[in-house]
Amino acid sequence: MRRAASSPLSSAVRRGKFHSSSPSSKEIEVFIDGKAVQVEEGSAIIQAAEKAGVTIPRFCYHERLGVAGNCRMCLVEIEKNPKMAASCAMPVAPGMRVITESAKIKQAREGVMEFLLANHPLDCPICDQGGECDLQDQSMRYGADRGRFGEAKRAVEDKDIGPLVKTTMTRCIQCTRCVRFINEVAGTGELGTTGRGNDMQIGTYVARPLASELSGNIIDLCPVGALTAKPSAFAARPWELTSTESVDVMDALGSAIRVDSRGAEVIRIVPRTNDLVNEEWLGDKARFAYDGLKRQRLTVPLVRVGGRLEPASWADALQLVGRRLRATPPADVAAVAGDLADAESLVALKDLINAAGSERLGVDSPIGDGLPADVRAGYTFGATLAGVEDADAVLLVATNPRREAPVLNARLRKPYLAGSAVFGVVGDAADLTFDYDHVGSSLGAVDALRTGDSAFARALRAAKRPLVIVGAGAAEQRGGGAVLAAVARLAAAVPALLTPEWNGLCVLQNAAGRTAALDIGYSGGSADASSAQFVYLLGADRAAANLSPSAFVVFQGHHGDAGALAADVVLPGLAYTEKSATFVNTEGRVQRTRQAVAAPGAARPDWQIIRALSDSAGLPLAYDDVAALRARMADVCPALVNPDVLEPTSAEVARLGVAQMAKNGGRDAGGALSLSSVIADYYMSDPISRASRTMAKASAMAKGISGQQCSPSIEMSSSSS
């Protein structure tokens, strides 16, 4: 696949300028305001100052973006240099002496602020950036007490770039952070600058919305109020909000987030920095789907009476479920774990179903082979999320990371921009924001790589750090085990894939609750709930379509989706912003959410519902509080009680995972095996986003953009299966 040329603004990143992190980098000594500091050779002065604990003001500079050097706010003096230099664009030299505070620098900063404010509107009372605005803060600290410009301020027309980002371009100071992010990190290249001098503007080259799944990050990057969140416009001021650190569950990465709430309502969700997981980026679904938390919610227990779901008390609903569970033979009892189920409720449900005499525990997937759950290396992301940046050959099998994990897709762009990795895809040809060889669309293309003579096949076998990413959804279909078996055969032909130093076999989960379910002992498939007579759906919606009409169905969850419509009894649980719960991301990292807002109506924590049900069923569980439950979790899987700890996988264990994958092969796919991504619509993939009006608008926008693209801008390679 070939893409249009990248923006010139990407050149600094591709060259690695000022951002060297090689272990062999030489360190040199420089002096910042007389203080000696050791920094890597090639670092910028502004980076050396940060290491020395000295803050230099900036607008255009950002440590994760290429260098622009156009705001001039970071000017410093260098000893023996007649002119001041932009500290973001000037590399350090051995023995360099830098002055960051002087009368000359103070005057220069005041001049820069005066120019920036000359055309800036007096919007602070109505600007959503107020209270968090870099321009406000720096004008107070570094600006003068008056300006000398009396001319009329420049006005710029606002741009419509979609339902997520609101533009007020009169406030723009042309720092180009948004342009560099869209070009370098997101990779869609829609933003740029037009005009020169006083006529310079930032916008899309043609009138169209942004098509990136990471577009909301330009709101955080904007140092003024030119780009703000459209869904939360004029909703609150920052000082009115209560902030809670938590973890995102909209995909399986477990991105670090901060939930800002006022009272019982979530006002916004923004990313937190976690270099090991999401750096400081966040997908648009995770950022903007929060309005779905207050729509289509289940707030009271419901019992089906005469074909209709009617409100009931907790006691009546639990007693009914308990009686039906006791009356059902153990062989006919099954439980299905949904995509957003937390580890506490998964352990409690497993204990309850086991106490009832059944072992039929599965995950919410179509009737398929499922992932092997015996060895953790067979269903986790072995190389770690940060480790993908070290790969030199990457093969994507039956996955579209841009839809399934857009932040991971941005990480994959790093070795692409650096020119250190080649990419291949087996599955649908799609715009992944980086060039790749489309190896094929059938399973035979994976086997062809073992002995094939294509350029990518040779590169994969010769790579020192090859990476194979398999979409977990590939195994969640009839015959899906054949995909895993083909990958296992490929692993045997690429020795560098599994070594003591490198685990390049990665399964990309697409659901936040999936890894924990497999850790706890749920089968990787649906546990064939279609033949059970008592089915407990823990937030599971897809499985509802395959249940027996005679089955007694219990649905426990927080949204009235497909599972609730098929249920005989509905028990209202809590969403991730309303509880403190444990999740395990796709790489096996244990993380915990924290309660940010109160539970709506009569909804209760999920594990407490199951604990109360166990009493009604005459099968009381042996824990009454979270501490005791987590002690039980430690017995089931010790890793579940070690938050933010990622246990390394040895090469021997990784090979056991490959062996488990190989055992799943050989089943008949009926000629219908698909290698497409299981997520067809990024914006509508879970009950929260499906209830979100904002995501509905974004989904319609994305479909409109796709419909306008008459001919795809891709070119297939000559190598195919």
Side-chain angles (χ1 to χ4, degrees):
M1 175 175 178
R2 295 195 334 192
R3 294 177 47 80
S6 300
S7 163
L9 289 168
S10 302
S11 59
V13 170
R14 288 198 299 271
R15 292 193 305 268
K17 189 177 182 182
F18 309 142
H19 293 274
S20 172
S21 58
S22 171
S24 61
S25 296
K26 177 183 175 183
E27 287 203 340
I28 60 176
E29 184 180 55
V30 296
F31 298 87
I32 308 295
D33 292 336
K35 180 180 179 180
V37 59
Q38 297 286 331
V39 296
E40 292 180 1
E41 189 175 22
S43 298
I45 292 175
I46 197 169
Q47 294 172 316
E50 288 176 354
K51 194 169 184 180
V54 176
T55 300
I56 296 177
R58 81 290 301 268
F59 287 114
C60 69
Y61 172 77
H62 192 278
E63 57 270 18
R64 301 191 194 275
L65 302 176
V67 177
N70 54 7
C71 78
R72 320 310 288 179
M73 192 66 189
C74 65
L75 292 173
V76 295
E77 289 189 83
I78 302 174
E79 191 177 76
K80 298 181 180 179
N81 269 28
K83 294 182 178 180
M84 289 184 290
S87 59
C88 68
M90 176 66 70
V92 294
M96 178 182 282
R97 293 183 177 273
V98 179
I99 301 170
T100 67
E101 295 286 347
S102 68
K104 186 177 180 181
I105 294 172
K106 180 177 183 296
Q107 183 181 16
R109 289 172 179 168
E110 288 182 355
V112 170
M113 289 302 309
E114 189 175 8
F115 275 115
L116 289 177
L117 295 174
N119 282 313
H120 199 76
L122 302 177
D123 278 351
C124 295
I126 60 166
C127 179
D128 278 321
Q129 196 86 341
E132 299 175 321
C133 179
D134 291 348
L135 187 64
Q136 274 186 343
D137 296 341
Q138 294 192 39
S139 63
M140 289 292 292
R141 180 171 180 181
Y142 302 107
D145 60 350
R146 68 200 65 199
R148 292 170 289 178
F149 293 98
E151 293 82 359
K153 293 182 181 291
R154 184 187 70 154
V156 180
E157 182 181 358
D158 295 338
K159 279 75 176 175
D160 183 5
I161 57 175
L164 305 179
V165 181
K166 177 186 176 184
T167 63
T168 311
M169 301 311 292
T170 300
R171 302 172 186 161
C172 179
I173 61 172
Q174 287 91 39
C175 70
T176 69
R177 281 186 181 182
C178 58
V179 176
R180 283 174 282 153
F181 175 84
I182 291 295
N183 281 273
E184 298 168 6
V185 181
T188 52
E190 296 136 319
L191 284 182
T193 59
T194 57
R196 301 187 65 183
N198 200 53
D199 295 326
M200 181 178 175
Q201 295 188 29
I202 287 177
T204 54
Y205 298 107
V206 293
R208 56 169 290 179
L210 298 181
S212 171
E213 295 81 4
L214 297 168
S215 64
N217 292 288
I218 63 178
I219 298 170
D220 301 330
L221 289 171
C222 184
V224 295
L227 303 173
T228 53
K230 188 175 286 188
S232 60
F234 308 119
R237 287 297 194 181
W239 53 84
E240 300 174 336
L241 303 178
T242 300
S243 297
T244 306
E245 293 186 353
S246 190
V247 177
D248 170 53
V249 300
M250 294 292 103
D251 58 31
L253 296 193
S255 299
I257 61 172
R258 191 187 79 219
V259 181
D260 289 345
S261 59
R262 183 175 57 189
E265 183 178 2
V266 175
I267 300 297
R268 67 178 179 181
I269 293 177
V270 295
R272 291 186 293 119
T273 300
N274 186 338
D275 288 330
L276 298 177
V277 180
N278 61 305
E279 299 181 285
E280 60 185 79
W281 314 129
L282 192 62
D284 287 346
K285 182 168 55 176
R287 184 187 293 267
F288 294 113
Y290 59 84
D291 65 313
L293 293 168
K294 59 184 179 181
R295 295 189 175 91
Q296 298 182 12
R297 288 301 301 269
L298 300 172
T299 58
V300 295
L302 302 172
V303 174
R304 191 170 296 277
V305 179
R308 292 172 57 88
L309 288 171
E310 301 289 349
S313 67
W314 271 110
D316 291 344
L318 293 176
Q319 287 172 8
L320 173 58
V321 176
R323 287 197 304 270
R324 295 301 296 262
L325 179 58
R326 289 195 306 269
T328 306
D332 289 328
V333 175
V336 182
D339 292 350
L340 304 182
D342 59 83
E344 285 82 358
S345 61
L346 289 167
V347 168
L349 182 57
K350 172 183 167 60
D351 287 347
L352 176 62
I353 299 301
N354 290 164
S358 174
E359 295 287 344
R360 295 175 68 173
L361 298 161
V363 298
D364 190 17
S365 67
I367 298 175
D369 299 332
L371 288 164
D374 295 332
V375 182
R376 207 180 199 211
Y379 56 83
T380 54
F381 202 90
T384 73
L385 299 175
V388 302
E389 299 176 22
D390 299 325
D392 51 5
V394 182
L395 175 66
L396 304 174
V397 180
T399 183
N400 183 334
R402 184 173 171 183
R403 288 182 189 166
E404 298 174 32
V407 174
L408 172 63
N409 198 70
R411 275 198 188 270
L412 289 171
R413 272 184 58 80
K414 288 189 177 182
Y416 162 71
L417 290 176
S420 59
V422 294
F423 293 82
V425 169
V426 176
D428 289 344
D431 184 358
L432 298 179
T433 72
F434 47 79
D435 295 343
Y436 61 80
D437 286 326
H438 187 230
V439 181
S441 300
S442 67
L443 198 54
V446 179
D447 286 319
L449 290 172
R450 292 185 292 153
T451 57
D453 196 41
S454 66
F456 180 76
R458 293 194 303 270
L460 183 66
R461 295 195 299 268
K464 296 181 179 179
R465 295 204 166 200
L467 190 69
V468 177
I469 301 178
V470 187
E476 296 180 357
Q477 55 181 309
R478 194 177 299 279
V483 179
L484 303 181
V487 171
R489 292 192 295 270
L490 178 62
V494 184
L497 192 65
L498 298 174
T499 67
E501 296 79 25
W502 178 252
N503 180 1
L505 186 56
C506 303
V507 175
L508 177 58
Q509 298 287 351
N510 51 67
R514 188 70 79 246
T515 306
L518 298 176
D519 280 345
I520 291 165
Y522 289 72
S523 70
S526 60
D528 197 16
S530 59
S531 62
Q533 294 303 301
F534 179 97
V535 182
Y536 202 105
L537 302 178
L538 182 59
D541 292 300
R542 290 194 296 274
N546 300 316
L547 301 181
S548 170
S550 61
F552 182 81
V553 181
V554 180
F555 178 82
Q556 177 182 327
H558 42 74
H559 276 75
D561 213 303
L565 293 176
D568 296 290
V569 177
V570 175
L571 305 176
L574 302 184
Y576 73 104
T577 56
E578 300 153 5
K579 59 186 176 183
S580 297
T582 303
F583 290 85
V584 183
N585 78 346
T586 188
E587 59 183 350
R589 187 183 303 275
V590 178
Q591 301 169 304
R592 283 186 182 154
T593 63
R594 291 183 175 87
Q595 182 180 2
V597 294
R604 295 291 181 266
D606 293 277
W607 77 267
Q608 291 184 13
I609 296 173
I610 299 169
R611 175 63 183 86
L613 173 59
S614 71
D615 285 338
S616 299
L619 304 167
L621 301 179
Y623 32 80
D624 295 317
D625 54 37
V626 172
L629 173 56
R630 287 179 177 160
R632 168 62 180 154
M633 289 166 56
D635 293 337
V636 175
C637 179
L640 293 177
V641 293
N642 296 318
D644 300 317
V645 175
L646 184 60
E647 297 181 356
T649 302
S650 66
E652 292 76 14
V653 173
R655 292 190 184 98
L656 286 177
V658 172
Q660 289 296 317
M661 286 184 173
K663 288 182 180 179
N664 272 32
R667 303 187 187 181
D668 182 16
L673 184 61
S674 171
L675 297 182
S676 301
S677 171
V678 294
I679 298 180
D681 187 347
Y682 166 74
Y683 297 102
M684 307 285 280
S685 61
D686 59 83
I688 297 176
S689 60
R690 285 193 290 269
S692 167
R693 292 178 180 173
T694 303
M695 292 296 96
K697 295 176 183 177
S699 176
M701 172 207 70
K703 291 174 182 176
I705 292 175
S706 178
Q708 292 171 9
Q709 294 175 350
C710 300
S711 57
S713 57
I714 61 174
E715 183 173 306
M716 311 299 289
S717 69
S718 58
S719 59
S720 61
S721 60

